[in-house]
Amino acid sequence: MQTYEQALLDAKAFVEKHDDFLVVSHVQPDGDAVSSTVAVGWLLSCLGKKFTLVNEGPIPKRMNYLTLSDQIINQLSDGGQREYQNIICVDCADFKRVGMVKEWMAESANILNIDHHPTNDGFGTVNVIKADAAATAEVLYDWINCFDIEWTTAAAEAIYTGLLTDTGGFRYSSTSPKVMEISSRLLELGVNGPELAETLLEEVTLAQVKVLALALSTLELTADGKIAYVHVTPEHMVISGAENEDLEGIVNFTRNIQGVEVGIFFKVINDNAVKASMRSAGKVDVAAIAQHFDGGGHIKAAGCRLEGSLGEVIEKVVQRVKEFL
Ligand code: 5GP
Ligand code: MN
């Protein structure tokens, strides 16, 4: 088994050897995905390398303070044809997570896969997977330190953003001494912690509150009170004026109910597809449940996409969770 230190050095050799990189994170990117993308962009710019930052769709507007975030191409709206030979995937548990961006990769592409999901299947040519890292940003912090580069406040802000969002504001069990040490160093580099917490974790849009209200009005619990779930339909999205990024955090309301072991948020994508976001209080490994449905994630936070009507999908997922309880 390769050590983490060796994997970081292999990743360093990968960027030193190649040029003209496509940097991509997962569909519907969260704070860690966006900040990891721009952090890699910053590293490549320091190394004088050519690079393109991309995501299948738009990035959440609340993250547009991140330096280089304006350079992340929205691949679906770009619509162009491109073919990259050298790819860096960040925060993607498996290759499918890049979504349609795969269309921009050559058949014979070299892939550097940097991630922190225990369900990562090692799809890269070079893989740096640290399952006990709180965020991909934590892995990137270690990686960037392998190079002879001076940290800037903007780069520190990107890493801090990934750590802050993926630990739920330094509250989840992934908030290790190492996370706090790194964060302390990032604050010394000039990061404004309280301001980022306000922007990323406190502030809400009106549409976000409206869609939350609609979602909570669908709340159901199983008879034993151990599984709670809500859903949002395309109609709810229209009524509230919400965008995908406004759905972040809704699932926590289900999991946080006293006595609930697993909270689930179902997002209806169309008449025959539903995305399920699961959160566990600790006893149930929701990553294993998500993997059963071809998804993935972490023990306490995972997701998957299922085919079927809302009713069918709820039935299937809730049944599976019951078997795990
Ligand atoms: P969320 O429920 O917030 O979308 O995601 C929770 C966790 O599960 C994140 O770490 C996310 O990367 C992962 N995840 C969500 N959906 C999927 C999926 O469809 N496939 C895989 N492999 N991981 C997912
Ligand atoms: Mn992450």
Side-chain angles (χ1 to χ4, degrees):
M1 196 38 208
Q2 196 192 31
T3 63
Y4 177 54
E5 287 70 25
Q6 188 57 52
L8 290 173
L9 293 177
D10 288 357
K12 182 173 186 246
F14 182 95
V15 291
E16 285 170 346
K17 181 163 118 195
H18 299 298
D19 199 1
D20 196 11
F21 298 91
L22 183 69
V23 184
V24 58
S25 67
H26 60 78
V27 298
Q28 287 167 16
D30 55 15
D32 192 26
V34 179
S35 40
S36 294
T37 305
V38 299
V40 172
W42 171 76
L43 171 68
L44 294 172
S45 69
C46 293
L47 299 174
K49 298 283 181 176
K50 200 175 161 205
F51 62 92
T52 302
L53 310 180
V54 69
N55 194 272
E56 182 192 86
I59 70 154
K61 285 185 277 301
R62 68 176 73 226
M63 286 162 204
N64 61 18
Y65 65 86
L66 286 168
T67 302
L68 292 181
S69 65
D70 57 339
Q71 285 189 31
I72 304 178
I73 297 173
N74 175 340
Q75 190 237 359
L76 288 178
S77 72
D78 178 274
Q81 281 290 326
R82 306 184 189 203
E83 192 170 83
Y84 287 88
Q85 194 60 50
N86 299 305
I87 318 294
I88 302 177
C89 292
V90 286
D91 207 37
C92 294
D94 55 57
F95 186 62
K96 275 187 312 194
R97 295 285 283 158
V98 304
M100 295 300 289
V101 175
K102 71 170 186 298
E103 303 290 331
W104 282 15
M105 301 178 194
E107 193 87 30
S108 58
N110 309 303
I111 300 179
L112 169 58
N113 167 18
I114 304 180
D115 187 35
H116 73 124
H117 291 93
T119 58
N120 192 297
D121 58 8
F123 62 86
T125 322
V126 173
N127 300 286
V128 187
I129 299 149
K130 192 168 193 288
D132 64 350
T136 298
E138 178 181 329
V139 182
L140 293 178
Y141 177 81
D142 289 339
W143 189 41
I144 290 167
N145 283 328
C146 296
F147 296 82
D148 188 19
I149 291 176
E150 281 284 309
W151 280 93
T152 62
T153 302
E157 202 168 54
I159 301 297
Y160 191 94
T161 296
L163 293 175
L164 180 75
T165 53
D166 259 23
T167 58
F170 305 117
R171 288 177 304 155
Y172 301 157
S173 54
S174 54
T175 313
S176 62
K178 184 175 170 189
V179 167
M180 299 317 257
E181 269 172 43
I182 296 173
S183 301
S184 160
R185 169 95 181 94
L186 299 173
L187 291 170
E188 280 166 7
L189 284 163
V191 171
N192 187 335
E195 190 178 280
L196 291 185
E198 177 66 26
T199 305
L200 296 161
L201 304 174
E202 299 290 340
E203 196 177 89
V204 287
T205 61
L206 182 57
Q208 203 174 349
V209 176
K210 287 183 177 172
V211 79
L212 172 65
L214 292 168
L216 294 181
S217 72
T218 71
L219 177 69
E220 289 192 62
L221 275 95
T222 50
D224 60 5
K226 290 191 174 163
I227 308 171
Y229 48 97
V230 296
H231 70 259
V232 162
T233 62
E235 201 187 356
H236 290 146
M237 299 297 283
V238 174
I239 298 169
S240 60
E243 298 175 51
N244 255 318
E245 64 192 74
D246 295 316
L247 303 176
E248 184 118 7
I250 292 181
V251 65
N252 294 331
F253 286 87
T254 59
R255 198 274 322 269
N256 289 348
I257 299 169
Q258 276 185 353
V260 167
E261 284 299 334
V262 176
I264 317 168
F265 169 62
F266 294 99
K267 158 96 198 288
V268 179
I269 299 166
N270 57 45
D271 287 347
N272 200 43
V274 179
K275 151 112 207 211
S277 282
M278 292 178 276
R279 297 292 184 270
S280 167
K283 285 196 188 126
V284 177
D285 176 359
V286 287
I289 298 171
Q291 264 189 313
H292 172 77
F293 296 113
D294 211 20
H298 307 277
I299 292 173
K300 292 187 180 175
C304 50
R305 185 189 156 121
L306 291 91
E307 286 189 0
S309 67
L310 176 65
E312 286 162 1
V313 170
I314 289 179
E315 165 81 35
K316 260 193 243 176
V317 175
V318 171
Q319 187 50 42
R320 191 75 196 171
V321 177
K322 280 181 181 164
E323 286 162 21
F324 270 72
L325 273 167

